[in-house]
Amino acid sequence: MDKLSAEDRKRFLADHPNWTLVDGRDAMSASFRFENFIDAFGFMTQIALRAEKMDHHPEWSNVYNKVEITLTTHDVDGLSPRDTELAAFIDKLAP
Amino acid sequence: MDKLSAEDRKRFLADHPNWTLVDGRDAMSASFRFENFIDAFGFMTQIALRAEKMDHHPEWSNVYNKVEITLTTHDVDGLSPRDTELAAFIDKLAP
């Protein structure tokens, strides 16, 4: 597993405008807003099952209908293709 | 729904050492650590179902095996008996 190349990073962020780089660390984050808690936690549950299957887990928080997600890969101390894979999956679920 | 009385607050915190008051706002928080993500997210899922049933939702975050929870009641802009009820439920699930 390598870090995401500069080119792949640029292309991913251009194609997935939900995601922005985090200041001060090599990670990316996105915020999602739903109708209510059921929809927000349902979204999280679908991500949780996929994350566990990938053995690649998000850092995330939830307040009622809002979910904030940060992705990074501890093994490479930064963004890797596993983050873009999980982020693309998350975007398909997003409202 | 009233704010939690000073006496109830003191008694609850004495009986539930996981929970501490949050600086700068009338809320309480607790941190929980599990063996792995499955256990952490399973814990969150049990809380989510109860929270939705109570229509009283936590502010929370998760990183792999760690879960941080903050409780407060927006309707009273501070701690209420609903927070101690949910916190007591959470403590019963905690490792």
Side-chain angles (χ1 to χ4, degrees), chain A residues 37-38 41 44-45 48 52 57-64, chain B residues 37-38 41 44-45 48 52 57-64:
Chain A
F37 178 75
I38 289 180
F41 198 77
M44 293 176 73
T45 302
E52 181 61 22
H57 302 86
E59 303 173 16
W60 51 0
S61 62
N62 159 244
V63 179
Y64 191 59
Chain B
F37 178 75
I38 290 179
F41 197 77
M44 293 177 73
T45 302
E52 181 62 22
H57 303 86
E59 303 173 15
W60 51 2
S61 63
N62 159 243
V63 178
Y64 191 58

Side-chain angles (χ1 to χ4, degrees), chain A:
Chain A
M1 175 71 58
D2 290 327
K3 279 203 190 189
L4 207 61
S5 71
E7 191 185 344
D8 286 347
R9 186 178 299 234
K10 191 173 170 186
R11 186 186 305 127
F12 181 86
L13 293 169
D15 291 345
H16 297 80
N18 284 337
W19 296 89
T20 55
L21 295 177
V22 175
D23 280 346
R25 56 188 293 220
D26 190 19
M28 61 182 176
S29 67
S31 295
F32 303 92
R33 185 179 287 264
F34 298 84
E35 288 290 312
N36 51 42
F37 178 75
I38 289 180
D39 288 353
F41 198 77
F43 171 71
M44 293 176 73
T45 302
Q46 293 182 77
I47 295 166
L49 296 173
R50 175 67 166 243
E52 181 61 22
K53 197 169 179 178
M54 290 177 69
D55 193 21
H56 187 60
H57 302 86
E59 303 173 16
W60 51 0
S61 62
N62 159 244
V63 179
Y64 191 59
N65 66 333
K66 285 174 288 185
V67 179
E68 294 191 1
I69 305 177
T70 297
L71 299 178
T72 192
T73 301
H74 296 282
D75 289 350
V76 303
D77 195 27
L79 287 169
S80 81
R82 305 179 76 193
D83 298 306
T84 52
E85 180 186 340
L86 185 55
F89 173 82
I90 290 169
D91 273 4
K92 284 191 196 151
L93 300 174

